[in-house]
Amino acid sequence: MKTRFIAFLLLFVMNLGVFAQSSYQPTEENLKARQEFQDNKFGIFLHWGLYAMLATGEWTMTNNNLNYKEYAKLAGGFYPSKFNADKWVEAIKASGAKYICFTTRHHEGFSMFDTKYSDYNVVKATPFKRDIVKELAAACAKQGIKLHFYYSHLDWAREDYPWGRTGQGTGRSNSKGDWKSYYQFMNNQLTELLTNYGPIGAIWFDGWWDQPKTFNWELPEQYALIHKLQPGCLVGNNHHQTPFDGEDIQIFERDLPGENVSGLSGQEVSRLPLETCETMNGMWGYKITDQNYKSTKTLIHYLVKAAGKNANLLMNIGPQPDGELPAVAVQRLAEMGEWMKQYGETIYGTRSGAVAPHDWGVTTQKGNKLYVHILDLKDAALFLPLSDKKVKKAVLFKDQSPVRFTKTKAGVLLEFAEVPKDIDYVVELTID
């Protein structure tokens, strides 16, 4: 009897957890935005702040224990004379990307927009005196690109942010901070961002991992504020955990869903829309010594593999201190765009296909079209375990030429004239 009672008690507690996790009910507008987000498949991340001036990456403040008062003096020389939001968006749109995620305030604490709640911002503290976010929002609206906002949950410069595992050597005097003050500051800024810059596709949080897991970030209330201000604005959090109640997308850093090569993932893959973020070179923020850019082939493969795992790719660029995007990055954007002009149909609006990812590649699917993306095949034939599907037609996507196929009880065997050599050899199957 005692054992049965304990089992019942455990089941009751577990059910309470389930109810707690499902208290958030997304609106119809939010659900529609989620679908559009999944359809878009490809976005560009832009990490830009005062750290670009030091050209040693976005974590340089904490990595080098720079005093926040000394660091703030960088603002006095921040004048990105070559910044042109229209040119940025034009280059990004040419890549085939459908949205931009921009760092409105990174861990350094500097706001890249005109905020009433801190003078430490691009308009009040710099000779540039222009609202970067406002100009970017206008350019995105004009060119039909969705705009998402990165927002840091931690701050290495504010005295009211309680010390976490990073930023302990930046000269702040009170390790306990003033959470009530800091939390209000964040919500005030989020209200500005969701009130003054038009429709925003998503708020992309980062920094939860800075505090112990027992720390109460008061996220449900913050998420509710976002959804109240803009019901269609999606909430994501780069906390490297399974999604929390109130979140609309699941984020993976430097890993595709289900993988954990970087050591930042490994969490359970949810049913929410998925997004993986990755750098074009090695760093997020601009680093003058980092010219190790991934090849166009590698970037295309990452985008295709993400789509095959039902995820978006958010690919990062760190703009230069003068306001320009690095020339190599712009070149990669153009080259990816050429590929997307031809093969975008096999990526946009698709979901992961009926055949799971393999070493040879992945599949994506849209309606009765199954796209077989062959990325690395050593043979002139490929077997697909499609025993429960009827293949009516098989063609090479790029020219619609027929592909020979043989149906067996276990699936379908595709046969090619030669071993596939294309960056992505796409076979289009019409299935029933």
Side-chain angles (χ1 to χ4, degrees):
M1 179 68 76
K2 186 177 180 182
T3 304
R4 285 168 64 188
F5 175 76
I6 292 172
F8 172 80
L9 191 62
L10 282 171
L11 185 62
F12 177 75
V13 171
M14 286 169 65
N15 282 335
L16 278 180
V18 170
F19 292 137
Q21 285 297 310
S22 60
S23 60
Y24 167 54
Q25 295 297 324
T27 63
E28 192 173 321
E29 188 178 349
N30 186 281
L31 293 173
K32 182 183 176 185
R34 293 184 188 189
Q35 184 174 329
E36 289 176 355
F37 173 80
Q38 286 183 293
D39 289 346
N40 286 338
K41 279 293 179 289
F42 183 29
I44 296 296
F45 215 166
L46 294 171
H47 271 72
W48 202 34
L50 294 183
Y51 43 83
M53 298 177 69
L54 298 177
T56 49
E58 75 290 345
W59 272 56
T60 193
M61 185 180 182
T62 188
N63 287 347
N64 294 290
N65 290 325
L66 303 178
N67 184 281
Y68 78 90
K69 292 179 181 177
E70 292 298 312
Y71 187 91
K73 294 176 183 177
L74 290 170
F78 187 67
Y79 195 91
S81 59
K82 295 182 179 179
F83 170 68
N84 184 317
D86 288 318
K87 283 184 67 176
W88 276 21
V89 177
E90 186 179 332
I92 289 167
K93 187 175 182 178
S95 74
K98 299 295 186 181
Y99 62 95
I100 290 170
C101 185
F102 181 76
T103 51
T104 60
R105 186 177 71 92
H106 206 268
H107 309 326
E108 64 175 5
F110 184 74
S111 297
M112 296 292 281
F113 63 101
D114 190 11
T115 172
K116 294 189 299 184
Y117 299 100
S118 171
D119 288 343
Y120 192 41
N121 71 68
V122 69
V123 175
K124 296 185 179 73
T126 78
F128 195 57
K129 298 194 179 305
R130 285 162 52 187
D131 188 334
I132 299 288
V133 170
K134 184 177 182 180
E135 294 183 25
L136 190 58
C140 284
K142 185 164 60 177
Q143 299 195 48
I145 296 290
K146 280 273 190 182
L147 182 60
H148 299 185
F149 288 152
Y150 169 108
Y151 191 83
S152 174
H153 264 140
L154 68 91
D155 195 305
W156 296 325
R158 285 186 65 93
E159 289 282 359
D160 55 359
Y161 174 68
W163 287 16
R165 68 177 182 85
T166 65
Q168 295 184 15
T170 60
R172 292 171 295 150
S173 58
N174 180 14
S175 62
K176 293 183 178 179
D178 182 345
W179 173 251
K180 185 177 180 181
S181 167
Y182 181 71
Y183 184 68
Q184 187 61 55
F185 162 73
M186 288 197 296
N187 288 343
N188 287 340
Q189 283 208 320
L190 287 166
T191 299
E192 288 179 315
L193 289 169
L194 292 169
T195 304
N196 300 335
Y197 299 96
I200 303 305
I203 297 292
W204 205 100
F205 285 114
D206 192 21
W208 177 92
W209 35 260
D210 193 50
Q211 297 289 346
K213 289 188 177 181
T214 54
F215 186 85
N216 182 12
W217 286 96
E218 299 182 66
L219 295 179
E221 296 82 3
Q222 193 168 68
Y223 292 172
L225 171 67
I226 293 167
H227 290 134
K228 180 181 178 182
L229 291 168
Q230 291 199 29
C233 180
L234 306 176
V235 172
N237 197 324
N238 189 38
H239 44 45
H240 311 142
Q241 308 292 312
T242 51
F244 301 159
D245 195 35
E247 295 173 6
D248 304 299
I249 61 175
Q250 184 176 10
I251 296 167
F252 297 85
E253 182 176 351
R254 292 187 185 272
D255 268 309
L256 295 169
E259 299 179 3
N260 193 20
V261 178
S262 70
L264 297 172
S265 301
Q267 62 270 39
E268 184 181 340
V269 180
S270 74
R271 294 184 179 181
L272 292 177
L274 311 175
E275 180 185 71
T276 184
C277 58
E278 179 57 286
T279 54
M280 192 180 276
N281 48 0
M283 295 292 293
W284 300 101
Y286 179 70
K287 185 176 181 180
I288 199 167
T289 57
D290 181 12
Q291 296 301 313
N292 188 27
Y293 282 83
K294 298 173 179 66
S295 68
T296 303
K297 178 181 178 179
T298 298
L299 296 174
I300 289 170
H301 278 197
Y302 210 85
L303 172 61
V304 171
K305 287 177 181 179
K309 291 205 165 197
N310 217 29
N312 290 16
L313 172 62
L314 182 62
M315 187 176 67
N316 182 75
I317 298 171
Q320 297 168 177
D322 64 359
E324 285 195 319
L325 301 178
V328 180
V330 174
Q331 181 185 354
R332 293 290 188 276
L333 291 176
E335 290 166 352
M336 290 188 78
E338 286 303 308
W339 186 87
M340 287 295 276
K341 282 178 188 175
Q342 185 172 7
Y343 292 100
E345 176 68 21
T346 71
I347 303 293
Y348 299 128
T350 65
R351 299 295 183 265
S352 55
V355 179
H358 284 72
D359 290 343
W360 54 259
V362 300
T363 61
T364 57
Q365 195 163 342
K366 189 189 302 179
N368 68 340
K369 300 295 185 184
L370 180 68
Y371 301 108
V372 183
H373 297 265
I374 300 172
L375 307 176
D376 184 18
L377 185 66
K378 304 295 190 286
D379 302 308
L382 176 65
F383 179 77
L384 301 174
L386 289 169
S387 57
D388 60 338
K389 304 287 183 185
K390 180 181 179 183
V391 177
K392 300 166 71 174
K393 185 180 178 183
V395 297
L396 193 58
F397 180 80
K398 63 182 177 182
D399 59 14
Q400 295 296 294
S401 59
V403 172
R404 184 178 176 183
F405 68 96
T406 305
K407 177 71 175 173
T408 70
K409 285 185 178 181
V412 174
L413 179 68
L414 303 179
E415 297 179 70
F416 314 114
E418 58 184 5
V419 176
K421 295 288 195 305
D422 295 0
I423 287 178
D424 181 7
Y425 192 85
V426 184
V427 177
E428 177 189 306
L429 302 182
T430 302
I431 59 176
D432 214 355

